[in-house]
Amino acid sequence: MSDTDGKKTLGLRGGSRTGQVKQSFSHGRTKNVVVETKRKRVLVPKPGASASGGRGSDPKKPGNATDAEMERRLRALRAAKANESEEAERRAAEEKAREEERARRRAEIEAKEREEQEREERARQKAEEEEEARKKAEADASSKPAAARSKADDPATMDPAAAQAAEARGAGKTGSGPRKERTADRAQPRKEQKGKGDDRRRSGKLTLNQALSGDGGRQKSMAAMKRKQERERRKAMGGSQEREKIVRDVQLPETIVVQELANRMAERVADVVKALMKMGMMVTQNQSIDADTAELIIEEFGHKVVRVSDADVEDVIATVEDDPADMQPRPPVITVMGHVDHGKTSLLDAIRNAKVVAGEAGGITQHIGAYQVTTDDGTKLSFLDTPGHAAFTSMRARGAQVTDIVVLVVAADDAVMPQTIEAINHAKAAKVPMIVAINKIDRPEANPDKVRTDLLQHEVIVEKLSGDVQDVEVSAINGTGLDQLLESIALQAEILELKANPDRAAEGAVIEAQLDVGRGPVATVLVQKGTLRRGDIFVVGEQWGKVRALINDQGERVDEAGPSVPVEVLGLNGTPEAGDVLNVVETEAQAREIAEYRESAAKEKRAAAGAATTLEQLMAKAKSDETVAELPIVVKADVQGSAEAIVQTMEKIGNDEVRVRVLHSGVGAITESDIGLAEASGAPVFGFNVRANAPARNAAQQKGVEIRYYSIIYDLVDDVKAAASGLLSAEVRENFIGYAEIREVFKVSGVGKVAGCLVTDGIARRSAGVRLLRDNVVIHEGTLKTLKRFKDEVKEVQSGQECGMAFENYDDIRPGDVIEIFEREEVERNLE
């Protein structure tokens, strides 16, 4: 096969240049390659190409660009030029601002330097004046002894003998003067040279003779000489010798770590520790000190103290004063209160056209409900339905605190009852107006006038009795008087002129809270100020969250809730306490920080309340606990308000001998951890309107833990009272059954002393207890060893018969003593 292999060889075209390149490979192999360099191809347009473009073609326009593309390019070019001009203006403005800032700083520095120079000048003048005064004082002081010596050395004033002695001393000094002066002249340069050498560095090399003679001692380093020259230069220029101290505002909490304190002051940690050790505190940089000690340290270092506390985290919840111009009318909040079974919920159902009573266990309300009603004329009313049972005092108090108007429901056939009186007291404490609704007037035994008369005893005077409290006779069954009741509520709301600002951060109160299986923690919130919207971040009590959903009383999802609107809020991280205040904050970090602070503060408060303050109190508590029997229980309820009411009721059960201790109370289903706690303490688990999940039921069966379910609070309280009563010790009662008088005492061998007695009253039994009375004083109490009638042992002896008695382990009996015979019986006690 040929080298060309049928292929066309590389040819040399006109205008191309060739050359050879030597390639090197491994193992010393090389190869020469022919390289051809071609010239750049230049496109020459054809003569008729320019004419084909049209008469109005732009010579600057590219040949393949359309008019639309050129338009886009022009617009982009103009936009770029506009941006460039704006950027230039912005840079010029920034440069101008920077120049003004530099000029301001320069002026401040110059003013500070002038002030420093003036201060140094005044200090220098003062020092010169003091120096002149000192020199003048020294000259005056030295002139007085010189004048005295000259007067004493004057020959005219001296006696002849003293003059001759002075001449002799002067001649002796004159002879030795030249020698001392020459010695002083030789010593002076050496002294000056030595002093001069101290301030300067050694010159030349260090020889052996210099080292042995001591002249080559340690000299100042070059760095020390440079520092000295720098200080002299600054002094000559009039600059300050020391750097100016920066005074800082140091935020000081209740406790602070030493290292953190040093960082906030921008001081060395070693200096802070040294200052603390001078104060007698041997601490390290990782130890904490109290605020008072830290304040002393901060003041010692010349800084300013700014006291802060942990409660400052709540300052982000701003208390905004609403502008009257922003206030808008809001619906009134009406709380329905009264005694149990007086028809509160039925009356509210009649207003709402609902049937809430039909779904309640036992026919009584055990939760606080929130509803919104729209009347025929379009007026909106927000109602709160409170329980009437005695255990739900806290719920009624919360309802009175958040309400505008209280509707007091009293049954016409039952008159005023204990919870009616309590509702009146709550309304008076909250200082809210009251409307009396006399219910059940359709019953034959109804007596509304008796209700009005009974209310007078509690300072509630209705309008029919010339008072200022509105009263309406209604019937929830027939619907009688409902329109009149709504008119009275609307009139009272109009008098109050209720307004709120809907355009601010929301604030509300938690009416009820529960733990739902599918939705998690749910809180029923009554918005009081502002508007609560989806996505708002809020903090409520010890919990925080972000609003995931808002559900109204009809079960519908809404996007926002304004003032006086009750809604269910989803999105909490935990179940809040009923009665907590909800506040909307800006960021999630703020909400989490506030919730953590409140949780720690509540934990410390609970720990402080349960701890004894002194050793005496601790010992007294331990001693009292020894004699008190406890019934431990675990309580789980469906809502927070019910759990709170049950716990408060359990704390009231008991006396000095027995009490009920709630180990744990919570909201939600009974879990396996509740069973474990109950097993460890030997306690039963009570579920109020909740059930145990499958793992909890299995664990309870294995561990033998009793679980009881209740839907009515009456049954729960009665069962706990019965269980606590079982821990009470039985009451021992003595029943006196007879008396016997000792007539004679006999000694019987093998038995001892035997009393011959006559039963004067009642009956004498062998199994009964006896007391020996002498002159009406008990001298012995015990049992009988023997009871005989003639020679026979008998069980009992009737009144008027004679018998023989012998005491067990007691022989000191005399004629005339009286024997008291009694029996003991144990009676079970119950908690009232």
Side-chain angles (χ1 to χ4, degrees), residues 347 350-351 407 435-442 470-489:
L347 181 62
I351 296 174
V407 174
I435 299 175
V436 178
I438 304 175
N439 197 13
K440 300 184 181 181
I441 62 170
D442 56 317
Q470 301 183 68
D471 64 313
V472 183
E473 296 181 3
V474 296
S475 173
I477 302 298
N478 300 333
T480 306
L482 296 182
D483 294 337
Q484 188 179 356
L485 177 61
L486 293 176
E487 289 177 4
S488 301
I489 294 173

Side-chain angles (χ1 to χ4, degrees), residues 405 433 463 468 470 488-498:
I405 302 171
E463 290 181 344
D468 56 352
Q470 301 183 68
S488 301
I489 294 173
L491 176 61
Q492 189 65 55
E494 186 177 354
I495 294 173
L496 293 176
E497 295 182 357
L498 303 172

Side-chain angles (χ1 to χ4, degrees), residues 531-536 547-552 556-562 567:
T531 302
L532 184 64
R533 298 178 176 85
R534 286 182 56 189
D536 285 347
V547 179
R548 282 196 294 120
L550 296 173
I551 303 174
N552 61 10
E556 302 171 351
R557 287 181 175 252
V558 294
D559 293 333
E560 61 181 23
V567 288

Side-chain angles (χ1 to χ4, degrees), residues 16 36 65-66 116 156 271 277 305 450 460 477 547 551 716 764:
S16 62
E36 180 181 356
T66 62
E116 186 70 22
D271 296 339
M277 289 184 176
V305 180
K450 184 178 182 300
V460 178
I477 302 298
V547 179
I551 303 174
L716 173 60

Side-chain angles (χ1 to χ4, degrees), residues 748-765:
V748 180
S749 60
V751 177
K753 291 184 178 182
V754 177
C757 305
L758 175 64
V759 180
T760 57
D761 187 14
I763 188 172
R765 284 198 180 98

Side-chain angles (χ1 to χ4, degrees), residues 52-119:
S52 64
R55 180 179 297 178
S57 61
D58 190 358
K60 297 182 180 180
K61 178 179 177 181
N64 56 352
T66 62
D67 294 339
E69 186 176 354
M70 287 301 297
E71 185 66 23
R72 286 197 299 271
R73 291 183 182 181
L74 290 175
R75 284 200 300 269
L77 182 60
R78 285 194 293 269
K81 289 183 178 180
N83 292 336
E84 185 177 356
S85 62
E86 291 177 0
E87 184 69 20
E89 292 177 359
R90 186 180 61 80
R91 285 198 299 270
E94 291 179 355
E95 184 63 28
K96 183 178 180 182
R98 284 196 294 269
E99 186 64 29
E100 292 177 355
E101 181 68 17
R102 285 195 292 268
R104 185 182 61 80
R105 290 182 180 178
R106 194 181 305 111
E108 290 179 357
I109 294 172
E110 291 176 356
K112 191 177 295 183
E113 289 178 353
R114 284 196 302 269
E115 184 180 352
E116 186 70 22
Q117 290 177 2
E118 290 175 359
R119 186 167 58 251

Side-chain angles (χ1 to χ4, degrees), residues 704-766:
V705 176
E706 183 182 8
I707 301 178
R708 293 189 179 185
Y709 301 117
Y710 298 92
S711 58
I712 302 176
I713 196 170
Y714 294 119
D715 301 337
L716 173 60
V717 174
D718 292 342
D719 285 0
V720 173
K721 281 185 178 180
S725 300
L727 299 177
L728 289 173
S729 58
E731 181 182 357
V732 179
R733 295 180 181 176
E734 291 185 354
N735 297 325
F736 296 98
I737 60 174
Y739 288 91
E741 182 181 355
I742 299 176
R743 296 294 179 90
E744 191 63 44
V745 178
F746 305 96
K747 291 185 178 179
V748 180
S749 60
V751 177
K753 291 184 178 182
V754 177
C757 305
L758 175 64
V759 180
T760 57
D761 187 14
I763 188 172
R765 284 198 180 98
R766 169 72 178 79

Side-chain angles (χ1 to χ4, degrees), residues 287-308:
Q287 287 180 300
S288 299
I289 58 176
D290 60 298
D292 296 334
T293 305
E295 184 174 357
L296 295 176
I297 295 297
I298 293 171
E299 292 176 352
E300 183 177 347
F301 279 88
H303 299 287
K304 295 180 181 179
V305 180
V306 179
R307 282 291 189 110
V308 296

